[in-house]
């Protein structure tokens, strides 16, 4: 249950500093790397960095050990890695460009988006 606590702590830390459009993706079963991705937008490079720092500090205070943080220097996309929870904090332009929500969405049962070369005409 520690993963759920960490996920909640991350969301709270983002909300504390007014992170925008916070989304949680449950990627269990489609990723062997992590269980959850939390994606959030910041309003500026400074805001993105502050959000990431707040997540890092709050998690450490609660006894969670971050594995690493990437992207602090440019701060258009900062990733905070906790293993089971990976946090992506991005400027809106980067978030739109990389579109992680679409990339990691799970197709609904029965959806056949595969192109097997068959022509339906």
């Amino acid at each position: 249950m520690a993963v759920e606590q960490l996920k909640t702590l991350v969301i709270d830390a983002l909300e504390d500093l007014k992170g925008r459009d916070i989304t949680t993706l449950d990627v269990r079963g489609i990723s062997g790397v992590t269980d959850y991705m939390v994606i959030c937008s910041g309003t500026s490079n400074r805001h993105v960095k502050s959000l990431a720092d707040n997540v890092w500090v709050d998690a450490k205070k609660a006894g969670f050990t971050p594995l690493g943080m990437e992207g602090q220097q440019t701060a258009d996309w900062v990733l905070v890695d906790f293993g089971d929870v990976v946090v992506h904090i991005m400027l809106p332009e980067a978030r739109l460009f990389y579109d992680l929500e679409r990339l990691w969405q799970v197709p609904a049962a029965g959806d056949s988006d595969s192109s097997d070369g068959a022509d339906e005409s």
Side-chain angles (χ1 to χ4, degrees), residues 70-88:
E70 298 288 331
Q72 311 92 293
Q73 288 189 297
T74 58
D76 58 340
W77 177 359
V78 178
L79 181 142
V80 185
D81 186 358
F82 293 97
D84 294 331
V85 177
V86 175
V87 186
H88 300 271

Side-chain angles (χ1 to χ4, degrees), residues 4-102:
E4 297 295 328
Q5 291 173 322
L6 176 58
K7 180 180 69 165
T8 300
L9 181 143
V10 164
I11 292 168
D12 290 345
L14 294 170
E15 289 175 343
D16 284 348
L17 292 185
K18 309 291 187 225
R20 295 188 174 184
D21 302 319
I22 301 168
T23 302
T24 303
L25 303 177
D26 183 343
V27 294
R28 295 173 292 182
I30 59 172
S31 171
V33 176
T34 190
D35 290 341
Y36 295 100
M37 289 188 193
V38 179
I39 305 168
C40 172
S41 295
T43 57
S44 67
N45 298 87
R46 179 175 278 174
H47 189 216
V48 167
K49 184 168 179 4
S50 294
L51 287 163
D53 290 343
N54 199 48
V55 167
W56 183 279
V57 169
D58 284 4
K60 286 195 75 154
K61 281 182 189 174
F64 294 100
T65 305
L67 300 176
M69 187 183 323
E70 298 288 331
Q72 311 92 293
Q73 288 189 297
T74 58
D76 58 340
W77 177 359
V78 178
L79 181 142
V80 185
D81 186 358
F82 293 97
D84 294 331
V85 177
V86 175
V87 186
H88 300 271
I89 307 164
M90 311 168 92
L91 289 175
E93 303 80 35
R95 187 168 179 176
L96 183 64
F97 181 79
Y98 291 103
D99 199 6
L100 296 178
E101 290 93 339
R102 186 185 56 76

